[in-house]
Amino acid sequence: MNLYNAILIGLKDIWAHKFRTLLTMLGIVLGVSSLVAMAAVITGMEKGMKESMIAMGGLDKVRIDDEDVPVWQDHLRDQSPGRLIRDVYALQASAPLVKTISPEMRLDWRSTRVTSKGKTASTSEIVGVWPAVLEMNLYELEHGRFFCDLDEEFANSVCVIGTGVRDQLFGSPEQTGETIVPIGKTIQIGGQPFTIVGMFRHYESEQERKLKELAKKQQQETKGGVKRQRGWSGAKKWGDAFWRKNNVVYMPLNTAWIKFRAASNEDGTPDPRLTDIDIKIADLDLLEPALQQARNVMLTMHNGIVDFEFETEENQINDIRTRIRNMRISQGVIAGLSLLVGGIGIMNIMLA
């Protein structure tokens, strides 16, 4: 039997069993389509998670958080100092495996409003920082400058904002038709005037960027008619890493301390404690030794009191890996089912 006759017989069998052939083709098409769609979802999810992880500072970022004093040290609770600026200097001097240290003094956003000419901005955080925060959280300045040593030394009332804060206080490029650069403008933070000296670049995921491009294209296609406000298209993404980066307000650490925390306790006494101490490890392969170095320094500075803990990105990494693995298992199951359905259909046609 030559090839021509084999093809001819096959076509005759297919024509003789049209319904079975249709079902077989449908099963194969649906299986392959599901497989392709699942692969696209996995790729997009993996890329989005990695983008979010990078936006928050990367895998080598470690946060030193407050921790309740353990039971066996409960009698020393009153002597727990909390995280202080002296801890930062000690880490700089005695932890060589830690390459970057960024202290933060976060202000209460409920009582520290950011306003300008009657407009109020919904900020992700208002924080006193050192310039090291740029490397720690992977920020890039698009306009103006960051804080200098003189700003820190004299507690100058200057701030650097994200584009989201700019949009809320001065108008977004979509609203005004131009990109407003508010360098030199004055805003109120907690009722005190601050001068904007810098603004970060806008951060967004690839998905958000493509959606904006699509919306802009659709707007151009439907241009015309009465100008109107079309309302909100979605809720604020309070937990989104890019939203948090775009709606941040930074000021010098010493400014936050003197102007907002110097008499912030209930009895009017100063509160010198830091909200966060973020560190970056010089080499991820040396994560354990680096954390041990930092722990030894903190224990020395805290007189042996274990009132702190280290928070790494390991759990987030494991969560990402688990989700991707589960999706790939589902992808394999769908592929197997589609092949099984197609094989059964072909056998039915051949044996009919």
Side-chain angles (χ1 to χ4, degrees), residues 30-202:
L30 290 177
V32 173
S33 300
S34 301
L35 194 62
V36 172
M38 186 68 71
V41 169
I42 293 174
T43 302
M45 185 175 67
E46 184 175 5
K47 190 171 184 178
M49 289 180 176
K50 288 180 178 179
E51 284 181 346
S52 180
M53 183 71 69
I54 293 173
M56 294 309 296
L59 304 180
D60 52 352
K61 178 181 175 180
V62 179
R63 177 176 290 107
I64 303 177
D65 282 333
D66 278 334
E67 175 69 3
D68 290 335
V69 175
V71 176
W72 53 275
Q73 288 188 330
D74 193 61
H75 61 288
L76 300 174
R77 183 180 300 274
D78 294 339
Q79 301 178 34
S80 173
R83 292 161 296 176
L84 302 173
I85 196 66
R86 68 182 187 183
D87 298 331
V88 177
Y89 291 125
L91 287 168
Q92 288 178 331
S94 305
L97 294 180
V98 176
K99 68 174 182 178
T100 306
I101 306 172
S102 175
E104 295 185 3
M105 187 173 285
R106 188 174 295 109
L107 306 180
D108 187 357
W109 61 270
R110 292 168 296 185
S111 58
T112 312
R113 299 287 184 178
V114 178
T115 61
S116 176
K117 298 180 180 179
K119 295 182 179 180
T120 302
S122 297
T123 58
S124 57
E125 56 182 3
I126 307 168
V127 197
V129 296
W130 280 359
V133 75
L134 295 176
E135 180 183 356
M136 182 63 62
N137 293 334
L138 303 179
Y139 274 104
E140 294 180 20
L141 277 173
E142 186 172 19
H143 301 284
R145 64 174 180 86
F146 206 70
F147 315 130
C148 62
D149 293 339
L150 291 177
D151 293 325
E152 176 69 20
E153 181 179 355
F154 294 106
N156 290 336
S157 297
V158 294
C159 64
V160 176
I161 64 174
T163 55
V165 178
R166 182 274 314 270
D167 294 347
Q168 296 178 71
L169 296 181
F170 304 101
S172 65
E174 291 79 11
Q175 293 171 332
T176 61
E178 60 179 348
T179 301
I180 296 178
V181 181
I183 305 301
K185 293 185 179 295
T186 300
I187 61 176
Q188 302 290 321
I189 302 179
Q192 301 189 47
F194 276 74
T195 301
I196 300 174
V197 296
M199 185 174 71
F200 298 119
R201 75 173 182 87
H202 182 70

Side-chain angles (χ1 to χ4, degrees), residues 67-337:
E67 175 69 3
D68 290 335
V69 175
V71 176
W72 53 275
Q73 288 188 330
D74 193 61
H75 61 288
L76 300 174
R77 183 180 300 274
D78 294 339
Q79 301 178 34
S80 173
R83 292 161 296 176
L84 302 173
I85 196 66
R86 68 182 187 183
D87 298 331
V88 177
Y89 291 125
L91 287 168
Q92 288 178 331
S94 305
L97 294 180
V98 176
K99 68 174 182 178
T100 306
I101 306 172
S102 175
E104 295 185 3
M105 187 173 285
R106 188 174 295 109
L107 306 180
D108 187 357
W109 61 270
R110 292 168 296 185
S111 58
T112 312
R113 299 287 184 178
V114 178
T115 61
S116 176
K117 298 180 180 179
K119 295 182 179 180
T120 302
S122 297
T123 58
S124 57
E125 56 182 3
I126 307 168
V127 197
V129 296
W130 280 359
V133 75
L134 295 176
E135 180 183 356
M136 182 63 62
N137 293 334
L138 303 179
Y139 274 104
E140 294 180 20
L141 277 173
E142 186 172 19
H143 301 284
R145 64 174 180 86
F146 206 70
F147 315 130
C148 62
D149 293 339
L150 291 177
D151 293 325
E152 176 69 20
E153 181 179 355
F154 294 106
N156 290 336
S157 297
V158 294
C159 64
V160 176
I161 64 174
T163 55
V165 178
R166 182 274 314 270
D167 294 347
Q168 296 178 71
L169 296 181
F170 304 101
S172 65
E174 291 79 11
Q175 293 171 332
T176 61
E178 60 179 348
T179 301
I180 296 178
V181 181
I183 305 301
K185 293 185 179 295
T186 300
I187 61 176
Q188 302 290 321
I189 302 179
Q192 301 189 47
F194 276 74
T195 301
I196 300 174
V197 296
M199 185 174 71
F200 298 119
R201 75 173 182 87
H202 182 70
Y203 294 92
E204 60 184 353
S205 65
E206 184 177 354
Q207 180 185 9
E208 290 174 329
R209 181 180 59 80
K210 290 182 177 179
L211 287 175
K212 281 186 177 180
E213 291 177 354
L214 179 61
K216 187 176 181 180
K217 183 179 179 181
Q218 291 176 343
Q219 186 177 10
Q220 291 175 348
E221 292 175 352
T222 59
K223 191 174 182 180
V226 179
K227 184 179 179 180
R228 58 196 180 275
Q229 176 60 254
R230 297 181 181 270
W232 294 100
S233 60
K236 295 176 182 177
K237 300 180 180 179
W238 296 95
D240 182 76
F242 300 101
W243 184 89
R244 293 202 298 270
K245 293 192 76 166
N246 290 330
N247 288 275
V248 72
V249 176
Y250 282 156
M251 65 179 68
L253 181 66
N254 199 31
T255 302
W257 154 244
I258 291 178
K259 295 185 180 295
F260 296 98
R261 296 286 290 276
S264 59
N265 283 329
E266 294 181 358
D267 57 357
T269 57
D271 183 7
R273 293 173 298 177
L274 298 171
T275 311
D276 287 320
I277 298 178
D278 295 334
I279 62 176
K280 275 207 171 186
I281 308 303
D283 187 349
L284 277 176
D285 293 334
L286 300 176
L287 176 62
E288 287 296 334
L291 292 181
Q292 188 60 52
Q293 277 187 357
R295 186 177 188 276
N296 293 340
V297 172
M298 294 293 290
L299 283 175
T300 301
M301 298 304 298
H302 290 218
N303 299 318
I305 301 175
V306 187
D307 57 352
F308 59 89
E309 66 175 355
F310 296 98
E311 180 182 338
T312 67
E313 305 296 338
E314 292 171 295
N315 288 338
Q316 288 86 336
I317 296 171
N318 292 333
D319 184 53
I320 291 174
R321 289 174 177 170
T322 300
R323 291 184 183 183
I324 293 174
R325 183 175 64 251
N326 292 339
M327 294 290 285
R328 285 176 176 165
I329 291 174
S330 301
Q331 183 182 18
V333 171
I334 292 174
L337 289 175

